[in-house]
Each structure stands twice: as structure tokens, then as C-alpha cells.
Amino acid sequence: MSEETDIIDQVVSQEYKYGFTTDIEMETAPKGLNEDIVRFISSRKNEPEWMLEYRLKAYRHWLTLSEPEWQNFSYPKINYQDIIYYAAPKEKKKLNSLDEVDPELLKTFEKLGISLAEQKRLSGVAVDAVFDSVSIATTFKEQLKEKGVIFCAISEALQEHPELVKQYMGSVVPYTDNYFAALNAAVFSDGSFVYIPKGVRCPMELSTYFRINAENTGQFERTLIIADDNSYVSYLEGCTAPMRDENQLHAAVVELIAMEGAEIKYSTVQNWYPGDKDGKGGIYNFVTKRGSCEGKNAKISWTQVETGSAITWKYPSCILKGEGSVGEFFSVAVTNNAQVADTGTKMIHIGKNTRSRIVSKGISAGKSHNTYRGLVKVAKKADGVRNYTQCDSMLIGSHCGAHTFPYIEIANQSAVVEHEASTSKIGEDQIFYCNQRGIGTEEAISLIVNGFCREVLNQLPMEFAVEAQKLLAVSLEGSVG
Amino acid sequence: MLKINNLHAEIEGKKILNGINLEVKPGEVHAIMGPNGAGKSTLSSVLAGRADYTVTEGSVELDGKDLLEMAPEDRAREGVFLAFQYPVEIPGVSNTNFLKTAVNEKRKYQGLEPMEATDFLKLMREKMELVEMDKSLTSRSLNEGFSGGEKKRNEIFQMAMLEPRLGILDETDSGLDIDALRLVSNGVNKLRSDKNAFIVITHYQRLLDYIVPDFVHVLYKGRIVKSGDANLAKELEEKGYDWIKAEVAASI
């Protein structure tokens, strides 16, 4: 229908409102990757010797690998010698408080809706702000410290708590895991570190905001969250980047460790620059995220709302070792224009009576492609495993695609594994019905899509659920089929 | 308030309406009857603005405004309400949220502020009582898993909430048992006033025992071929449509 084309045309005209750049004096490493660059990054961070050794081992391993090719999309070869691996705003001296942070940086985060001034923050949310390769500021550190909670930049944790970092880094995602994990282990620059002590319920939401600003740089952050016995933490990450014609690589690694009875809730609202309507520019979001339920009755819950990036390629996963541990994955992935998403999860059931639940909602519009890829694996000795998977796809317009690749590997007969999948198109009947009640087409789409994603949005912390809903509406602005 | 003048409409090149003339005044109820394929549902779709239909000739005015020029949502905001024959399901969207959006969009169009949450809930309660709507239906997803009868009652409830100037009931009686039919009809009767009007499209006379029309029109081959009062519906019930078809054939 002509109306459909009109509206698809309109989609294209939507704007990415975080596309500005910050003009600030930067210190950058020379372009390209070699052992000297790895040493340079490590020395800039004043890292202990073992960390440098680890990085070099990872780098040498990376050299032996080649880029994976099993994904359901293609992209131009990345020239790893054409990337800047370290970019940081120039610091005059060591910062002692927020007041000393460059006002230009504070303004940048202000503009992104992330106020670093504690009194202005949403009460109950502590923020770590990462700008290109470094953490700028972490709020509410003192209040958290009273409870014994450590929340800081990973570079700082390497100085203050090296034993914790050494013990856990690479324990869930070893540098040998995959091509991008190896690269990250070699050149990671910053990210967040969280430790929740035994029996502590973290008194506020922890949040990291990642911002790519510099040109030609890659962002390689590393996040490590450890929840000790019977503790609880809810963590949220958000991300944006300027509009640039070149693709930029974001290859992060996130590791979660939940001990006996501990619960980690990890939420992502990903809004990297998606590129323009023809797919020019945008972020390659190639990320390895994995959590391990180490102890009995531990629980890890991933919630993601993915609306940005030219290409999203990631599978936040759970290794369910502890008896009775629980893994959850709730995902909304929206692709529009020329965007691509190949995302899902792996649930690896090793312990007895472990349970997992997967709810994936993919929404494709424009010429985009949206793939769910997931693995449910049950080990031989894992008795009494249960899994429930639900994959729903929604298509808007007739030039996009939705794909589902569920893999199931079961070595124990007692497992109960369920998989449900559906594909629907936003019906003209649904839109007309809304129209007939006085609801305009844009609003109708937003209503229908939010309804479609409700199960997942309900998992987000309150403060962010509203943000995420708005983001969905903006991402799909004008996309009617 | 509603003036339909020589309305012609087609879908995918097939002519369905061949010159409809109808005037509806405030306070009136008009029943439109006719055999299958006469164009009854097309008429309601064209009035509501469904994009599949093309109007090739004629005009429709609502309170002096050109209805055919307006987008479907603006027609709704001007007071046209269509109770659908097959209401759609919208998973995950609660009835309450849907209606709140609808009511506030209409208010925005009228230059009013959105309704306060407490006022809105109060209005919901009042209207639920008025049309004897089951409370549990409002918190469920819109029409999802509703029985046929529940869907139709939900349409009437929405109509009560939106207080239209012109309510069009498109075969609202189809698929209803006698109890549901009575409930739906009672709801409509309570909404009748001298400020609004209704067009009741139905295949059977049964519904008109409950919603008594001021006028009955017979639609055949895309035209109104006979008009009368409520007695015409009874005559049709007794004699069927064949005698009308014969009359039309004879007059050509």
C-alpha cells in the first residue's frame, strides 16, 4: 500500500538525538595494535605486572585467531590497525571529587540526561560514567562503602582491590573464549567493578553509562560484578555515541559471578548510534556477556532493550553450576532501517534442578534483520532441569526479516525443555482499530509495540522502564506497516 | 447531523456502494438491514475511514464538516464511533491503558488537558456500571482471549467511555446469545440521548426488538431500496428479503 511506503519513508527521517560530539582535549594512543600499544595502555593505568602479562597473553592468543563467520549477517572486514585503542580526556591532575571533573564532561553527561551531581541524581541510583576509554566519575561511592559495597572503575579496582580482580577476571569469560573476548582482554581500558559482600542487599541501583566520543576509536570496556553469598544487586548499563560516517567497534566483556543464594539482575538499555538510513556509520556492538551461578540457589537475570547499533552481536548467557540456580534472559531487540541484530542467550545447565527462562521479543522495521539465536544445554549429571523459552517476532512493513535459531542439546533425560515461538505483523486491522478510537497511527504503533514487549519491560527497574518505553517509540517513529 | 449524499464506494475496483442517501438527525436511531453482500459493512467502513475502500462519488457531512476529508482518527475525535463486527485483539495492552490513551487523545484534539488518573478511574467505574461491564475485563489485555460476547460488550463499554455523537453498530448482534444480546442492547439504550444518534446495522430483526429504531432502511446492491419505521423490520422478518429483490427487479 502507498500508505505503508509513506510511513516507511518517514522512519528514515527519524533523528538520533544523542549524535553530538564533545570538544575536549584528548590523549590518544597511536592508531593500530601491537605489543607496545598493549604495554602503553597498561602503563597508562599503572597496572600491576600480572595484569600486563595477562593482556600480552591474550594479545598473542588473539593473533592466532580469525574472525568468526557463523553469524547471520555480513559486514565489511574490520581493519584492526586502523583503530585507536586508547582515548582519554586529558587530566591535569588526580581528581579528588566530582567538582574537579572537567565541566565540559559534566555537561556532556548532563546533555545525555545523566547528571553526575549526586543531589540531582535519581535517588537510589549510583552511576559510573565511562567516556571513551576511561571512567570519569562514580557517584555515591561513600554511601555504598558504608555497606561494604565496592563500586568503582575497573582501573581503580586494579589499584585498590587487585586480589579480587585477579581472582575473578577471566574466570567466566577467559581470553581464549572467542575472537572479540581475546581482543578485549588485550586492550580493555575501563569499565565498572562491583563487589557485594556476603548477606548485603545493595541499597541502590548501580548504573554505568558508556559514551563513545572520540573518532576512530574502539571502546573495549570490561565489567566485573561479584555478588558474594546471599547478596543482591541490580545493575544497569546505558550507552550512546555521536553520529559518524565510519563504523566504530565496541567489543566489551561482562562477567558476573553469583555465589550461593546471591542474585544479580543486569539490565541493559543499548542505544549506540545505529548509522543512517542506508546503513552508513554506526556502532558494531560485538559483546561477550556471561554470568556464572557458582553457588546453590544463585540467580542471574539478564534484561536487555537493544535499540541502537548498526550491528548487535551478543548472547548474554548463564552458566548454572550451583544446584537449584536460576538463569533468566529477557530481551527486546528493535531494528530499523539497515540495522542488524543477532542476539539471544545460552543457558548452560550443569547443576541439578537448575532452571532457566528465556523471553525474547524481536521487532523489525525498515530493511533490517533481527535474529534470535539461543542455546539451551543440559549436562549429563544435571537432573531435574527445566527451561522455558519464548521467542516472539514482530514485523513492521514488508522489507524486514526475522529469524530464529534455537539450539537445544540435552544429555540428561529428566530435563523438561519447552520452546514457543511466534511471528506476527502489526496488522492494519490493529492500527485501524486504534485509529477508530481516536488514536493516531504513531501512537498506535507505540501502544502495540509496548504491549508486545510488556513482559520484558516489566523486568526493568522502574526508573528505566519509562525511559525504555520512550526509546522504543522513538526508534520506531513513523514505522507503520 | 449526518448527511450522506449519493455515496459511491469501491474496493479493489469492485463497486459496492452505488449512491447512498441518508440523513440522520440527533436523537434518532436508524437501522440498516439487508441481505448478505448488500454493502452494509462497507457503509460502516467507509464512514469510519478504512483505507481499503475508495470513495468514487458523493459526500458525507458530519455537523457540517466534510467527513471524507478527515483521517480516521480525526473522524473518531469528531464523534464517530464504530462498534466493530470483529473487534481485534491487542496483546499486552490493557483495556484501561487503551481507553486512557483514546480518551486523552480526544481531549487533546478538543484542546483539553489529559484527564487526571483518579477522574479517569471514576469515569470507568460509572460507565462500567452503566453498561453492566464485568470489572475483570478492564484489566485484561484488550480483547485478548475474550469470548465473542465479551468482545461485543467491550465495544459498548468503549462507546460509553468515548461518548460519541454518532454510534455505528456493525452487526453487533452476530454471535450473541440471548442474554448477551439483552445486555448489549440495554447498554446502547442507556446511551441514547437527544444529542447523539445511532446507525444500527443488522441482518436480523431480533436486535431491533431491544433497540427500537425510528427508521428502518433496506440496503440492496449498494443502494437504499426501501425505508420505513420499525414495522418494516418485522415485515422483513416474516417475509425475508426476496419480495424486496423482486420489487427492485420489477422497477428496473
Side-chain angles (χ1 to χ4, degrees), chain B residues 12-71:
Chain B
E12 288 161 2
K14 195 179 163 210
K15 293 200 77 179
I16 310 280
L17 300 185
N18 295 305
I20 301 241
N21 293 295
L22 181 67
E23 183 169 358
V24 178
K25 296 197 177 80
E28 292 177 350
V29 173
H30 291 246
I32 297 195
M33 302 182 70
N36 287 328
K40 300 192 297 289
S41 286
T42 298
L43 178 61
S44 67
S45 294
V46 168
L47 291 177
R50 202 185 265 278
D52 314 359
Y53 295 89
T54 313
V55 173
T56 51
E57 211 184 320
S59 66
V60 180
E61 271 179 26
L62 180 72
D63 295 321
K65 292 181 192 161
D66 184 350
L67 196 69
L68 301 177
E69 277 293 298
M70 293 180 206

Coordinates of all heavy atoms in Angstrom, one line a residue, chain B residues 12-71:
Chain B
E12 N -10.9 -2.6 -4.3 CA -10.1 -3.3 -5.4 C -10.8 -3.3 -6.7 O -11.0 -4.3 -7.4 CB -9.8 -4.7 -4.9 CG -8.7 -4.7 -3.8 CD -8.7 -6.0 -3.1 OE1 -9.5 -6.9 -3.4 OE2 -7.9 -6.1 -2.1
G13 N -11.4 -2.1 -7.1 CA -12.0 -1.9 -8.3 C -13.5 -2.5 -8.4 O -14.1 -2.3 -9.4
K14 N -13.9 -3.1 -7.3 CA -15.3 -3.6 -7.3 C -16.2 -2.6 -6.6 O -16.0 -2.3 -5.5 CB -15.2 -4.9 -6.5 CG -16.5 -5.8 -6.8 CD -16.4 -7.1 -6.0 CE -17.8 -7.7 -5.9 NZ -17.9 -8.5 -4.7
K15 N -17.2 -2.2 -7.4 CA -18.2 -1.3 -6.8 C -19.1 -1.9 -5.8 O -19.7 -2.9 -6.1 CB -19.1 -0.7 -8.0 CG -18.2 0.2 -8.9 CD -19.2 1.1 -9.7 CE -19.6 2.3 -8.8 NZ -20.4 3.3 -9.5
I16 N -19.2 -1.3 -4.6 CA -20.0 -1.9 -3.6 C -21.2 -1.0 -3.2 O -22.3 -1.4 -3.1 CB -19.2 -2.2 -2.3 CG1 -17.9 -2.9 -2.6 CG2 -20.1 -2.9 -1.3 CD1 -18.1 -4.4 -2.8
L17 N -20.9 0.3 -3.1 CA -21.9 1.3 -2.8 C -22.3 2.1 -4.1 O -21.4 2.6 -4.7 CB -21.5 2.2 -1.7 CG -21.2 1.6 -0.3 CD1 -20.9 2.7 0.7 CD2 -22.3 0.7 0.2
N18 N -23.6 2.1 -4.4 CA -24.0 2.7 -5.6 C -24.9 3.9 -5.5 O -26.0 3.9 -6.0 CB -24.6 1.6 -6.5 CG -23.7 0.6 -6.9 OD1 -22.6 0.9 -7.4 ND2 -24.0 -0.7 -6.5
G19 N -24.6 4.8 -4.6 CA -25.4 6.0 -4.4 C -26.3 5.9 -3.2 O -27.5 5.7 -3.3
I20 N -25.7 6.1 -2.1 CA -26.5 6.0 -0.8 C -26.8 7.4 -0.4 O -26.0 8.3 -0.4 CB -25.6 5.4 0.3 CG1 -25.2 4.0 -0.1 CG2 -26.3 5.5 1.7 CD1 -25.7 2.9 0.8
N21 N -28.1 7.6 0.0 CA -28.6 8.9 0.5 C -29.2 8.6 1.9 O -30.0 7.7 2.0 CB -29.6 9.5 -0.4 CG -29.0 9.9 -1.7 OD1 -28.2 10.8 -1.8 ND2 -29.4 9.3 -2.8
L22 N -28.7 9.3 2.9 CA -29.3 9.1 4.2 C -29.0 10.3 5.1 O -27.9 10.9 5.0 CB -28.6 7.9 4.9 CG -29.0 7.5 6.3 CD1 -30.5 7.0 6.2 CD2 -28.1 6.4 6.8
E23 N -30.1 10.8 5.8 CA -29.9 11.9 6.7 C -30.2 11.4 8.1 O -31.3 10.8 8.3 CB -30.7 13.1 6.3 CG -30.4 14.2 7.3 CD -31.0 15.6 6.8 OE1 -31.6 15.6 5.8 OE2 -30.8 16.5 7.6
V24 N -29.3 11.6 9.1 CA -29.6 11.2 10.4 C -29.6 12.4 11.3 O -28.6 13.2 11.3 CB -28.5 10.2 10.9 CG1 -28.7 9.8 12.4 CG2 -28.4 9.0 10.0
K25 N -30.6 12.6 12.1 CA -30.7 13.8 13.0 C -30.5 13.4 14.4 O -30.6 12.2 14.8 CB -32.1 14.4 12.9 CG -32.5 14.9 11.5 CD -33.7 15.8 11.6 CE -34.0 16.5 10.2 NZ -34.8 15.5 9.4
P26 N -30.1 14.3 15.3 CA -29.8 14.0 16.7 C -31.0 13.3 17.3 O -32.1 13.7 17.0 CB -29.5 15.3 17.3 CG -29.1 16.2 16.2 CD -29.8 15.8 15.0
G27 N -30.7 12.3 18.2 CA -31.8 11.6 18.9 C -32.4 10.4 18.1 O -33.2 9.7 18.7
E28 N -32.0 10.3 16.9 CA -32.6 9.2 16.1 C -31.8 7.9 16.1 O -30.5 8.0 16.2 CB -32.7 9.7 14.6 CG -33.7 10.8 14.4 CD -33.8 11.3 13.0 OE1 -32.9 10.9 12.1 OE2 -34.7 12.1 12.7
V29 N -32.5 6.8 15.9 CA -31.8 5.5 15.6 C -32.3 5.0 14.3 O -33.5 4.9 14.0 CB -32.1 4.5 16.7 CG1 -31.6 3.1 16.4 CG2 -31.6 5.0 18.1
H30 N -31.3 4.8 13.4 CA -31.6 4.2 12.1 C -31.1 2.8 12.0 O -29.9 2.6 12.3 CB -30.9 5.1 11.0 CG -31.5 6.4 10.8 ND1 -32.2 6.8 9.7 CD2 -31.5 7.5 11.7 CE1 -32.6 8.1 9.8 NE2 -32.2 8.5 11.0
A31 N -31.9 1.9 11.6 CA -31.5 0.5 11.4 C -31.2 0.3 9.9 O -32.0 0.8 9.1 CB -32.5 -0.4 11.9
I32 N -30.1 -0.3 9.6 CA -29.9 -0.6 8.2 C -29.8 -2.1 8.1 O -29.0 -2.8 8.7 CB -28.6 0.0 7.7 CG1 -28.7 1.5 7.8 CG2 -28.2 -0.5 6.3 CD1 -27.7 2.3 7.1
M33 N -30.7 -2.7 7.3 CA -30.8 -4.1 7.1 C -30.6 -4.5 5.6 O -30.5 -3.6 4.8 CB -32.2 -4.6 7.5 CG -32.5 -4.2 9.0 SD -34.1 -4.8 9.5 CE -33.8 -6.6 9.6
G34 N -30.5 -5.7 5.4 CA -30.3 -6.1 4.0 C -29.6 -7.5 3.9 O -29.0 -8.0 4.9
P35 N -29.8 -8.1 2.8 CA -29.2 -9.5 2.6 C -27.7 -9.4 2.6 O -27.1 -8.3 2.5 CB -29.7 -9.9 1.2 CG -30.1 -8.7 0.5 CD -30.5 -7.6 1.6
N36 N -27.1 -10.6 2.7 CA -25.6 -10.6 2.7 C -25.1 -10.0 1.4 O -25.7 -10.2 0.4 CB -25.1 -12.1 2.7 CG -25.3 -12.7 4.1 OD1 -25.2 -12.0 5.1 ND2 -25.6 -14.0 4.2
G37 N -24.0 -9.3 1.5 CA -23.4 -8.7 0.3 C -24.0 -7.5 -0.2 O -23.7 -7.0 -1.2
A38 N -25.0 -6.9 0.6 CA -25.7 -5.7 0.1 C -24.8 -4.5 0.3 O -25.1 -3.4 -0.4 CB -27.0 -5.5 0.9
G39 N -23.8 -4.5 1.1 CA -22.9 -3.3 1.3 C -23.0 -2.7 2.7 O -22.5 -1.6 2.9
K40 N -23.7 -3.5 3.6 CA -23.9 -2.9 5.0 C -22.6 -2.6 5.7 O -22.4 -1.5 6.2 CB -24.7 -3.9 5.8 CG -26.1 -4.3 5.2 CD -26.9 -5.0 6.2 CE -26.4 -6.4 6.7 NZ -26.4 -7.4 5.6
S41 N -21.7 -3.6 5.7 CA -20.4 -3.4 6.4 C -19.5 -2.4 5.7 O -18.7 -1.7 6.3 CB -19.7 -4.7 6.6 OG -20.4 -5.4 7.7
T42 N -19.6 -2.4 4.4 CA -18.9 -1.4 3.6 C -19.3 0.0 4.0 O -18.4 0.9 4.2 CB -19.1 -1.6 2.1 OG1 -18.7 -2.9 1.7 CG2 -18.4 -0.6 1.2
L43 N -20.6 0.2 4.2 CA -21.0 1.6 4.6 C -20.4 2.0 5.9 O -19.8 3.1 6.0 CB -22.5 1.6 4.7 CG -23.2 2.9 5.1 CD1 -22.8 4.0 4.1 CD2 -24.7 2.8 5.3
S44 N -20.3 1.1 6.8 CA -19.7 1.4 8.1 C -18.2 1.7 8.0 O -17.7 2.6 8.6 CB -20.0 0.4 9.2 OG -19.4 -0.8 8.9
S45 N -17.6 0.9 7.2 CA -16.1 1.0 7.0 C -15.8 2.4 6.3 O -14.8 3.0 6.7 CB -15.6 -0.1 6.1 OG -15.7 -1.3 6.8
V46 N -16.6 2.7 5.3 CA -16.4 4.0 4.6 C -16.6 5.2 5.5 O -15.8 6.1 5.6 CB -17.3 4.1 3.4 CG1 -17.3 5.5 2.8 CG2 -16.9 3.1 2.3
L47 N -17.6 5.1 6.4 CA -17.9 6.2 7.3 C -16.7 6.3 8.3 O -16.4 7.4 8.7 CB -19.2 6.0 8.1 CG -20.5 6.1 7.2 CD1 -21.7 5.8 8.1 CD2 -20.6 7.5 6.6
A48 N -16.2 5.2 8.7 CA -15.1 5.2 9.7 C -13.8 5.5 9.1 O -12.8 5.9 9.8 CB -15.0 3.9 10.5
G49 N -13.7 5.4 7.8 CA -12.4 5.8 7.1 C -11.4 4.7 6.8 O -10.2 4.9 6.8
R50 N -11.9 3.4 6.7 CA -10.9 2.3 6.4 C -10.3 2.6 5.0 O -11.0 2.8 4.1 CB -11.7 1.0 6.4 CG -10.8 -0.2 6.7 CD -11.5 -1.5 6.6 NE -12.0 -2.0 7.8 CZ -11.3 -2.7 8.7 NH1 -10.0 -2.9 8.4 NH2 -11.8 -3.1 9.8
A51 N -9.0 2.4 5.0 CA -8.2 2.8 3.8 C -8.4 1.9 2.6 O -8.2 2.3 1.5 CB -6.7 2.9 4.2
D52 N -8.9 0.7 2.8 CA -9.1 -0.2 1.7 C -10.2 0.2 0.7 O -10.2 -0.2 -0.4 CB -9.5 -1.6 2.2 CG -8.7 -2.1 3.4 OD1 -7.8 -1.4 3.8 OD2 -9.0 -3.2 3.9
Y53 N -11.1 1.1 1.2 CA -12.2 1.5 0.4 C -11.9 2.8 -0.3 O -11.3 3.7 0.3 CB -13.5 1.6 1.2 CG -13.9 0.2 1.7 CD1 -13.4 -0.2 3.0 CD2 -14.7 -0.6 1.0 CE1 -13.8 -1.4 3.5 CE2 -15.1 -1.8 1.5 CZ -14.6 -2.3 2.7 OH -15.0 -3.5 3.2
T54 N -12.3 3.0 -1.5 CA -12.2 4.2 -2.2 C -13.6 4.8 -2.5 O -14.4 4.1 -3.1 CB -11.5 4.0 -3.6 OG1 -10.3 3.2 -3.3 CG2 -11.0 5.3 -4.2
V55 N -13.7 6.1 -2.1 CA -15.0 6.7 -2.4 C -14.8 7.3 -3.8 O -13.9 8.1 -4.0 CB -15.3 7.8 -1.3 CG1 -16.5 8.6 -1.8 CG2 -15.5 7.2 0.0
T56 N -15.7 7.0 -4.7 CA -15.6 7.4 -6.1 C -16.5 8.6 -6.4 O -16.3 9.3 -7.3 CB -15.9 6.3 -7.1 OG1 -17.1 5.7 -6.7 CG2 -14.8 5.3 -7.0
E57 N -17.6 8.8 -5.5 CA -18.5 9.8 -5.8 C -19.3 10.1 -4.5 O -19.4 9.2 -3.7 CB -19.5 9.3 -6.9 CG -20.0 10.4 -7.8 CD -21.1 9.9 -8.8 OE1 -20.8 8.8 -9.3 OE2 -22.1 10.6 -9.0
G58 N -19.9 11.3 -4.4 CA -20.7 11.6 -3.3 C -20.0 12.3 -2.1 O -18.8 12.5 -2.2
S59 N -20.8 12.6 -1.1 CA -20.2 13.3 0.0 C -20.9 12.8 1.3 O -22.0 12.3 1.4 CB -20.5 14.8 -0.1 OG -21.9 15.1 0.0
V60 N -20.1 13.0 2.4 CA -20.6 12.7 3.8 C -20.3 13.9 4.7 O -19.1 14.3 4.7 CB -20.0 11.4 4.4 CG1 -20.6 11.2 5.7 CG2 -20.3 10.3 3.4
E61 N -21.3 14.5 5.3 CA -21.1 15.6 6.2 C -21.4 15.2 7.6 O -22.5 14.6 7.9 CB -21.9 16.8 5.8 CG -21.3 17.7 4.8 CD -22.2 18.9 4.5 OE1 -23.0 19.2 5.3 OE2 -22.0 19.4 3.4
L62 N -20.6 15.6 8.6 CA -20.9 15.4 10.0 C -20.9 16.8 10.6 O -19.9 17.5 10.6 CB -19.9 14.5 10.7 CG -20.2 14.3 12.2 CD1 -21.4 13.3 12.4 CD2 -19.0 13.7 12.9
D63 N -22.1 17.2 11.1 CA -22.2 18.6 11.7 C -21.6 19.6 10.7 O -20.9 20.5 11.2 CB -21.6 18.6 13.0 CG -22.3 17.7 14.0 OD1 -23.5 17.6 14.0 OD2 -21.6 17.1 14.8
G64 N -21.9 19.5 9.5 CA -21.4 20.4 8.5 C -20.0 20.3 8.0 O -19.6 21.0 7.1
K65 N -19.3 19.4 8.7 CA -17.9 19.2 8.2 C -17.8 18.0 7.3 O -18.5 17.0 7.4 CB -17.0 18.9 9.5 CG -16.8 20.1 10.4 CD -15.9 19.7 11.5 CE -16.0 20.8 12.6 NZ -15.6 20.4 13.9
D66 N -16.8 18.1 6.3 CA -16.6 17.1 5.4 C -15.9 15.9 6.0 O -14.7 15.9 6.3 CB -15.8 17.6 4.2 CG -15.6 16.6 3.1 OD1 -16.0 15.4 3.3 OD2 -15.1 17.0 2.0
L67 N -16.7 14.8 6.3 CA -16.1 13.7 7.0 C -15.1 12.9 6.1 O -14.1 12.5 6.6 CB -17.3 12.7 7.3 CG -17.0 11.7 8.4 CD1 -16.8 12.3 9.8 CD2 -18.1 10.6 8.5
L68 N -15.3 12.9 4.8 CA -14.4 12.1 4.0 C -13.0 12.6 3.8 O -12.1 12.0 3.5 CB -15.1 11.9 2.6 CG -16.4 11.2 2.6 CD1 -17.0 11.2 1.2 CD2 -16.4 9.8 3.2
E69 N -12.9 14.0 4.1 CA -11.6 14.6 4.1 C -10.7 14.2 5.3 O -9.5 14.4 5.3 CB -11.8 16.1 4.1 CG -12.1 16.7 2.8 CD -10.9 16.6 1.8 OE1 -9.9 17.2 2.2 OE2 -11.0 15.9 0.8
M70 N -11.4 13.8 6.4 CA -10.7 13.6 7.6 C -10.0 12.2 7.7 O -10.5 11.2 7.2 CB -11.6 13.7 8.8 CG -12.2 15.0 9.0 SD -13.4 14.9 10.4 CE -14.5 16.2 10.0
A71 N -8.8 12.2 8.5 CA -8.2 10.9 8.8 C -9.1 10.1 9.7 O -9.9 10.8 10.5 CB -6.8 11.2 9.4

